[in-house]
Amino acid sequence: MHDFAYLRPRSTGEAVQLLVRHQPGARYFAGGTTLFDLMKLGVEAPATVIDITRIEGLGRIDASDRTELRIGALAAMSDVAEHAVVLREFPALSESLWKAASQQLRNMATVGGNLLQRTRCAYFRGGPEFACNKRVPGSGCAAIGGANRGHAVLGGSEACVAIYPGDMAIALAAFDAVVDTVSPRGERTVAVRELHREPGATPHLETVLATDELIVRIRIPRGPVGRASTYHKIRDRESYAFALASAAVALHIRGNRVADARIALGGVATRPWRATEAERSLVGLPLTRAAARRAAELAFAGAKPLEHNAFKVALGIETVTDALMLAKDRN
């Protein structure tokens, strides 16, 4: 890695000021599991690293409000996964965290950093000999005509087909979670399902956040729909692998009919993907396996598979179908 300056603010205000002062080329650092990896690969080369781990309160998990659960951006993935309220009211979130990485990484990685992790596309991480519009805008996309087994069938463009690799964001999108941010312009709130951009013609712009914006917390609405939920992840091997297809599903069933349904997809799209048409197809009906499969097929109706990843459509349909039936059993 190259040399860089290291700064350690003690408040969010100081952190934002330091980032502005040292732009361009400054990056926030929390757990480091994403940033340092990218620095070693030469994808990121910040001149200044701003360590925000000393900022008080950003690691707190607050369940005192009956209407929402508040999770500080510096909370460790393992702490969130094990929290009693998360286990009881948002099991899909806990499962998404447990299935995301090794225990060592979960102990180090923060939820804010996990939300903003970048793609694992081999061409993006492989170095300058590979064309990649995320790394070098305008250079092309080697994956479209190359080895694209692990790439997106939803949300891709002629400029990029790299998947969003995370698990936690899929569950958060299903639960209508939001993130609170701070910047020199003040505070704002962004829905998790709107946080990540589809690549379009500008795949290097991966989120709607400004370069001087810092995520400080995640907030999840509390209610009956979260308790009957699951995160179903299919991968090449059981541990430490990214999803080929995944689904975060939450249900609220009254009597024997679906009153509310949430379906979010991972491993198949360029961003966390809410399947709203599939959700609507279930409301008001008994949840049979046939109804679950119809919803799953709707979730993939707009899929555009590439040469090597057409299997993801059939796999994704089965994943969503199974996830819906697993969530039904928790009602």
Side-chain angles (χ1 to χ4, degrees):
M1 287 195 296
H2 66 286
D3 293 338
F4 55 88
Y6 175 82
L7 303 173
R8 203 168 197 179
R10 292 183 177 271
S11 69
T12 55
E14 183 184 359
V16 169
Q17 290 172 6
L18 287 173
L19 188 77
V20 172
R21 189 180 310 158
H22 291 274
Q23 289 285 35
R27 293 288 187 275
Y28 289 125
F29 160 81
T33 58
T34 290
L35 179 61
F36 285 171
D37 184 28
L38 294 174
M39 290 169 68
K40 290 175 184 177
L41 292 170
V43 175
E44 293 273 6
T48 303
V49 171
I50 300 170
D51 183 348
I52 61 174
T53 57
R54 287 275 182 92
I55 298 177
E56 188 175 354
L58 290 193
R60 186 178 301 131
I61 304 171
D62 181 5
S64 61
D65 190 317
R66 292 184 178 182
T67 66
E68 64 180 17
L69 176 65
R70 299 169 182 169
I71 304 171
L74 293 184
M77 291 171 61
S78 56
D79 290 341
V80 176
E82 295 169 0
H83 194 275
V85 171
V86 174
L87 288 166
R88 183 176 66 251
E89 299 185 22
F90 307 101
L93 176 57
S94 180
E95 292 169 3
S96 72
L97 290 162
W98 281 119
K99 295 176 180 180
S102 68
Q103 184 66 54
Q104 295 93 329
L105 284 175
R106 291 194 298 266
N107 288 341
M108 286 295 296
T110 64
V111 291
N114 183 268
L115 266 180
L116 299 179
Q117 66 181 296
R118 304 188 71 184
T119 185
R120 262 61 183 181
C121 172
Y123 296 109
F124 171 73
R125 292 170 172 256
E129 61 267 36
F130 299 107
C132 175
N133 288 317
K134 274 188 181 293
R135 192 179 62 247
V136 182
S139 63
C141 176
I144 290 177
N148 47 44
R149 176 178 182 268
H151 288 70
V153 298
L154 292 166
S157 71
E158 293 181 357
C160 182
V161 290
I163 63 163
Y164 172 78
D167 297 289
M168 179 187 69
I170 312 305
L172 291 175
F175 290 136
D176 287 335
V178 300
V179 295
D180 295 328
T181 73
V182 296
S183 74
R185 295 165 300 285
E187 301 181 3
R188 73 163 174 152
T189 298
V190 180
V192 169
R193 60 189 294 188
E194 297 173 357
L195 177 63
H196 298 88
R197 299 173 184 259
E198 291 179 34
T202 55
H204 61 292
L205 301 176
E206 296 180 342
T207 74
V208 299
L209 299 182
T211 56
D212 57 2
E213 210 164 359
L214 172 65
I215 294 176
V216 293
R217 75 183 63 82
I218 299 165
R219 293 187 285 118
I220 313 173
R222 299 171 77 171
V225 73
R227 294 174 182 266
S229 65
T230 191
Y231 182 71
H232 192 36
K233 180 178 181 179
I234 308 301
R235 42 194 163 172
D236 282 323
R237 59 182 188 276
E238 183 61 25
S239 60
Y240 316 151
F242 294 96
L244 291 172
S246 68
V249 167
L251 296 170
H252 180 208
I253 297 178
R254 271 198 305 264
N256 70 335
R257 296 179 182 273
V258 177
D260 195 356
R262 313 283 180 82
I263 302 170
L265 310 178
V268 295
T270 55
R271 59 174 176 82
W273 195 269
R274 269 289 287 271
T276 53
E277 188 175 354
E279 294 170 353
R280 287 193 294 268
S281 76
L282 294 170
V283 175
L285 301 176
L287 182 56
T288 62
R289 188 166 187 89
R293 185 172 180 85
R294 284 196 299 272
E297 289 170 349
L298 282 172
F300 284 87
K304 296 180 179 179
L306 303 165
E307 182 179 0
H308 305 298
N309 70 356
F311 74 95
K312 282 195 173 191
V313 177
L315 180 64
I317 289 171
E318 292 299 327
T319 301
V320 172
T321 303
D322 289 345
L324 283 164
M325 302 314 292
L326 288 168
K328 178 187 177 183
D329 290 341
R330 293 183 173 179
N331 266 270

